[in-house]
Amino acid sequence: MKHFYSVDSVSNVGALVSDALAMKRHSVPHPHHTQGKSMLLLFFNPSLRTRLSTQLAAQQLGMHTICMNAGEGWKWEIESGVIMNMDKAEHIKDAAKVISQYVDIVGIRSFPGLTDREEDYRDELMQEFMTHAEIPVVNMESSIYHPLQSLTDLITIEEARADRAKLKVVLSWAPHPKALPQAVSNSFLQWMAKTNHEVTVTHPHGYELKEEFTQGTTIEYDQMKAFEGADIIYTKNWSAYEPYGQILTEDQHWMVNKKKMAVTNEAKFMHCLPVRRNVVVTDGVMNGPNALIYQQAGNRLHAAKTVIYNLLNQKNNG
Ligand code: CP
């Protein structure tokens, strides 16, 4: 891989999942490839799991890490050719070239504004940075993709349900009081499309995701019907794609609870976290034996380690 931006950065998703499972079992195959190298983790938005797991992943690979909140640096200009006489003191081109002098790899988190759909879906900050960087770039959740989370999700599903070759996997919208990005859901569907599993997406009318992500899936507006016979329930809130970034309903009937889980095929419950308990999903499901949430969060470490290792070894190029 040159960069880890989306599923299209990866030539063989199945091989990457196998690499991550091997990394989890046997630790690092050849740590000398990464020993003594440096990684910058740059955050424009908050994080718990991504920040800790990616930093720790690099450290376990023998690397030096620097974590930086973007607010601690100069504000970046992203557009080319502009007269920079306003509040943005540093051009992204210069920042990317300078960062490339200091470290061997960089991770960036930058959420969408959720007001201008075309701007968000251009994912300009990530795109511009990758254009100018001379080192590999890891997408730690951009405006539209969260590939580290999706790789983690595939690893976790493989671990939990390796006994069944073809699963019914349900991505279920759930209510949330704040407008959230579509990145986790977009990426989850992109990565699931690389597996043999059957995917159903369930959400209230109006929460349709961008069509390119739901192609090949079944869309079911009746959540209970969608849950019937499911092997995996993956729950996530997202704001509307049209009208973009809006909350159309907070209907609590969409919260995942034990009654809904009872119609599944003893489905495992997944969520990328953080989650608002008793809004998105009940405590009963979160604390129940079928919840994979902590195993899933733990696998972020192995996903990050595998991605960093492969990037620094030019493995699994897309
Ligand atoms: N799932 C996830 O990306 O968590 P953080 O936002 O805490 O990093």
Side-chain angles (χ1 to χ4, degrees), residues 46-50 109 141 146 149 272-274 300:
S47 167
L48 178 84
R49 280 142 290 272
T50 306
R109 164 164 287 198
E141 189 172 345
H146 195 356
Q149 182 64 53
C272 62
L273 305 183
R300 289 293 305 268

Side-chain angles (χ1 to χ4, degrees), residues 9-247:
S9 311
V10 181
S11 60
N12 187 334
V13 168
L16 194 64
V17 171
S18 299
D19 283 353
L21 288 167
M23 185 74 86
K24 185 172 180 175
R25 280 194 303 271
H26 307 302
S27 197
V28 187
H30 301 290
H32 56 272
H33 289 303
T34 51
Q35 200 76 38
K37 294 199 171 163
S38 303
M39 181 168 193
L40 169 67
L41 285 82
L42 185 57
F43 287 90
F44 287 83
N45 305 94
S47 167
L48 178 84
R49 280 142 290 272
T50 306
R51 187 164 182 143
L52 298 182
S53 63
T54 313
Q55 190 171 9
L56 196 58
Q59 288 171 358
Q60 289 187 3
L61 290 167
M63 298 169 64
H64 308 287
T65 56
I66 304 166
C67 256
M68 184 174 169
N69 295 325
E72 292 162 3
W74 304 111
K75 212 169 170 186
W76 288 1
E77 176 58 64
I78 295 176
E79 276 184 56
S80 298
V82 293
I83 299 166
M84 289 173 55
N85 60 356
M86 300 296 278
D87 61 330
K88 294 170 182 168
E90 177 127 42
H91 200 278
I92 192 167
K93 175 176 179 170
D94 302 323
K97 297 275 181 212
V98 169
I99 288 168
S100 302
Q101 304 296 309
Y102 297 141
V103 294
D104 301 286
I105 181 169
V106 57
I108 300 178
R109 164 164 287 198
S110 174
F111 287 173
L114 291 180
T115 51
D116 182 334
R117 186 172 76 187
E118 278 63 43
E119 183 181 304
D120 285 349
Y121 271 72
R122 281 198 298 275
D123 220 0
E124 261 173 346
L125 189 137
M126 289 298 298
Q127 292 293 346
E128 285 300 306
F129 197 94
M130 287 191 292
T131 298
H132 300 297
E134 292 156 16
I135 53 174
V137 179
V138 178
N139 181 350
M140 299 197 302
E141 189 172 345
S142 70
S143 293
I144 49 174
Y145 300 127
H146 195 356
L148 276 176
Q149 182 64 53
S150 307
L151 172 58
T152 302
D153 298 336
L154 260 61
I155 297 166
T156 310
I157 291 172
E158 183 66 25
E159 280 183 324
R161 284 281 149 100
D163 53 323
R164 300 181 202 175
K166 193 172 174 77
L167 303 171
K168 178 177 177 184
V169 177
V170 176
L171 171 64
S172 179
W173 181 92
H176 199 280
K178 286 188 69 183
L180 297 186
Q182 294 134 19
V184 169
S185 308
N186 289 346
S187 273
F188 183 69
L189 294 176
Q190 271 194 325
W191 286 69
M192 284 309 301
K194 300 287 181 186
T195 71
N196 292 323
H197 305 315
E198 175 199 320
V199 180
T200 298
V201 186
T202 185
H203 53 72
H205 286 277
Y207 276 98
E208 290 76 11
L209 291 161
K210 192 177 184 193
E211 209 178 321
E212 72 171 86
F213 300 111
T214 52
Q215 271 170 9
T217 70
T218 302
I219 298 176
E220 173 56 67
Y221 295 102
D222 181 336
Q223 191 188 30
M224 207 63 168
K225 204 169 158 195
F227 275 40
E228 280 170 14
D231 299 296
I232 300 284
I233 299 295
Y234 195 105
T235 302
K236 182 72 186 83
N237 170 271
W238 60 87
S239 57
Y241 182 68
E242 176 67 56
Y244 185 65
Q246 300 296 304
I247 296 176

